Amino acid sequence: MTRLYDLIIRNGDVIDGTGAPRRTADVAIADGAIAAIGDLGAARADAEVDAAGLIVAPGFIDTHTHDDWMVFESPGMLPKVTQGVTTIIAGNCGISLFPLVTDSIPPAPLDIMRGGYRFDSVRAYREAFAASPAAVNVAVLVGQSTLRARHVPQLGLAASDAEIEQVRQDVEAALREGAIGVSTGTFYPPSAAAPEDEIVRMCEPMRRLGGVLVAHIRDESDKIAESIDETARIGKALGVSTVISHHKLVGKQNHGRSRATLAQVREHAQTMPLCLDCYPYAASSTMLRPERVTQCDRILITWSATHPEAAGRYLEDLAQEWGRSRHEVAQALVPGGAVYFIMDEADVRDILAYPDTMIGSDGIPSDETPHPRLWGTFPRVLGLYSRDLGLFPLERAVHKMTGLAAQRFGLERRGELRAGHVADITVFDPATIQDRATFDDPQQPSVGVRHVFVAGQATLRDGAPLDARPGRFVGSTLVNARSAQ
């Protein structure tokens, strides 16, 4: 008897997420999972999609996001769905929406979460998402800066023994309630005073419960080598898989150092599970810090509390109009956010090409004029860097944003197209896929992604977003705790 499936995607070029060469095959979906892959000419289904000439790939995993609140505020998740993203990892750079409840504006950069801090635990966040899901799956990290803001009154000082114990208890609770790990943000003021030993002690539950340590390292400029070593020591002390966030070299004096830093990472990776993520742009985006003005020639303001009209303007133009120095104008715009044209394109390509580099957008949805990476990261890798520049084959590009990410974060039954895996699938046109967002017009959807499915439900069909909200809260096999159900 001929089997009836829910959906068959026919005649596509399957890139399965492992890095293996593409092959023409049909993909059948039943009950939210991949049921079969191969020549399914005789099979029948309730619906079919003709993918001739298109790539059928696992749904893309955005390994570095700040979408913790966006999944509630904009559950359609258009910046991600239109790129082919089916799963996001939130809570990066030491910033998570939990476990913190406050009506006050928290210290920067925690203030990028404009929805407010209202979740006292991972459990509360998880339950809220289950009650009101988005168009993407969500996995979460608990943030070191959020934990310090909750328990350390004097953020400019190292935490006391009692404060460390309070944070340690929160870390344990977060892992037991479904967090996949801890993110640190020692580059930022709320965590800059935390010494290495404090971080190890705060994260002690990871020695027993596992998880992933994801680090926005202390310095991406002159002391980047020391910061990479520090992160590796912390990861080794905890015995966990470790990720260096958005690896880059900041400041002209550091341009060209990527080969040395990548060799350093490669050496550490011989003795521990260590990898990277990055975004495909030579400009960063974060809180507005006046001390950074001297490190780059161009700065684009993304938002300002004191001068909202400055959003989308370049600091250099404002300085000329105001008749003041760039540093004085930056000080006048704080608190705010900015895009810094502070990196070198050759370094970006070296880091992208490193075999253990995953793809993370690092977009900030709350910015009035966001970095274009929020809308364009994944098609930019596939279109510009893989197809146009030939930096790596398309199979390897897909692996970076699917199988590699699922493996490094322990996302079970995701990241590869194989029977039994969750049917998170992206179908795109390899000839036309391309980012359209620019620094001056950053909220333009990419082109070339044709269909997106989350657990077999379409979130994008023929390039048009749908109203489906099939996203699920996702845990990690790297966490040994029994997550709360």
Side-chain angles (χ1 to χ4, degrees):
M1 183 177 179
T2 303
R3 181 170 180 184
L4 180 65
Y5 297 105
D6 297 330
L7 173 70
I8 298 178
I9 303 172
R10 292 198 182 274
N11 308 313
D13 289 334
V14 172
I15 295 181
D16 66 9
T18 67
R22 70 193 74 182
R23 61 190 176 100
T24 301
D26 304 324
V27 178
I29 298 170
D31 300 322
I34 298 171
I37 302 176
D39 184 356
L40 305 176
R44 296 184 298 118
D46 293 334
E48 294 193 0
V49 170
D50 183 7
L54 304 177
I55 299 296
V56 181
F60 303 150
I61 299 168
D62 192 339
T63 60
H64 191 110
T65 82
H66 296 286
D67 299 340
D68 309 42
W69 179 246
M70 186 184 181
V71 295
F72 297 110
E73 185 176 49
S74 302
M77 297 297 289
L78 293 184
K80 301 305 166 73
V81 170
T82 53
Q83 294 185 65
V85 171
T86 58
T87 300
I88 65 165
I89 295 175
N92 280 278
C93 294
I95 309 163
S96 63
L97 268 185
F98 41 79
L100 179 65
V101 176
T102 179
D103 292 328
S104 303
I105 297 175
L110 275 67
D111 57 352
I112 66 172
M113 298 296 176
R114 302 288 178 84
Y117 286 80
R118 60 189 70 181
F119 302 104
D120 64 0
S121 64
V122 171
R123 184 197 299 271
Y125 184 90
R126 179 177 183 166
E127 291 175 349
F129 186 76
S132 182
V136 297
N137 304 307
V138 177
V140 300
L141 303 160
V142 62
Q144 172 214 11
S145 292
T146 298
L147 293 169
R148 284 188 115 245
R150 185 183 191 196
H151 292 299
V152 182
Q154 299 295 322
L155 290 174
L157 301 177
S160 67
D161 290 344
E163 292 161 357
I164 290 173
E165 174 57 22
Q166 289 176 312
V167 172
R168 190 203 66 76
Q169 290 178 17
D170 276 355
V171 168
E172 176 147 354
L175 293 172
R176 292 192 180 279
E177 292 174 3
I180 65 172
V182 177
S183 73
T184 63
T186 48
F187 168 76
Y188 290 114
S191 293
E196 183 177 326
D197 178 66
E198 176 184 309
I199 298 170
V200 173
R201 292 172 62 194
M202 287 177 169
C203 295
E204 179 275 333
M206 299 184 77
R207 286 176 168 155
R208 296 174 284 107
L209 304 179
V212 185
L213 178 71
V214 181
H216 183 149
I217 62 177
R218 202 175 292 274
D219 193 319
E220 296 171 318
S221 185
D222 298 348
K223 295 184 178 180
I224 189 167
E226 295 90 334
S227 297
I228 290 173
D229 285 343
E230 178 189 47
T231 298
R233 287 193 301 270
I234 295 171
K236 287 179 182 178
L238 296 171
V240 295
S241 181
T242 303
V243 179
I244 295 176
S245 293
H246 44 54
H247 183 43
K248 56 182 173 291
L249 288 306
V250 168
K252 293 180 180 179
Q253 72 277 16
N254 294 300
H255 290 174
R257 293 182 62 188
S258 58
R259 300 201 174 178
T261 60
L262 291 172
Q264 184 182 1
V265 171
R266 187 179 293 110
E267 182 177 356
H268 281 301
Q270 300 302 309
T271 59
M272 66 177 295
L274 177 67
C275 67
L276 315 167
D277 70 50
C278 79
Y279 47 81
Y281 298 86
S284 64
S285 181
T286 185
M287 60 185 287
L288 179 58
R289 302 185 73 162
E291 65 270 23
R292 272 202 160 185
V293 167
T294 59
Q295 292 183 300
C296 54
D297 295 329
R298 296 175 65 214
I299 296 176
L300 176 65
I301 305 303
T302 58
W303 69 277
S304 169
T306 56
H307 292 274
E309 73 279 5
R313 300 290 308 280
Y314 286 88
L315 183 68
E316 302 72 51
D317 296 337
L318 292 171
Q320 186 173 14
E321 290 178 14
W322 294 7
R324 300 167 67 180
S325 72
R326 297 165 75 238
H327 189 271
E328 289 173 332
V329 173
Q331 286 181 313
L333 297 177
V334 171
V339 169
Y340 301 89
F341 295 84
I342 203 167
M343 297 139 66
D344 180 66
E345 176 65 20
D347 287 327
V348 172
R349 296 185 189 186
D350 283 346
I351 294 165
L352 272 174
Y354 180 71
D356 281 335
T357 295
M358 304 174 292
I359 307 303
S361 66
D362 195 21
I364 305 175
S366 60
D367 281 353
E368 295 175 30
T369 306
H371 191 299
R373 64 194 183 189
L374 178 67
W375 287 82
T377 288
F378 290 82
R380 184 174 177 85
V381 172
L382 298 168
L384 175 62
Y385 286 98
S386 178
R387 181 192 61 225
D388 300 343
L389 298 177
L391 190 62
F392 32 63
L394 193 60
E395 289 84 350
R396 189 172 164 200
V398 169
H399 173 63
K400 286 175 172 292
M401 53 186 67
T402 58
L404 178 62
Q407 175 193 2
R408 291 293 187 167
F409 283 96
L411 306 182
E412 189 174 20
R413 299 174 58 228
R414 287 182 167 83
E416 296 181 13
L417 294 183
R418 64 169 64 187
H421 275 215
V422 177
D424 292 347
I425 298 173
T426 292
V427 181
F428 65 91
D429 185 341
T432 63
I433 193 162
Q434 187 64 61
D435 60 306
R436 287 289 182 261
T438 66
F439 290 100
D440 293 324
D441 193 4
Q443 300 187 60
Q444 293 302 307
S446 300
V447 296
V449 176
R450 297 286 295 277
H451 311 286
V452 180
F453 302 91
V454 174
Q457 294 188 52
T459 58
L460 188 88
R461 181 67 65 86
D462 294 321
L466 303 177
D467 291 332
R469 304 289 184 265
R472 305 174 184 177
F473 190 94
V474 178
S476 171
T477 60
L478 300 181
V479 179
N480 303 319
R482 291 185 179 180
S483 298
Q485 298 299 322

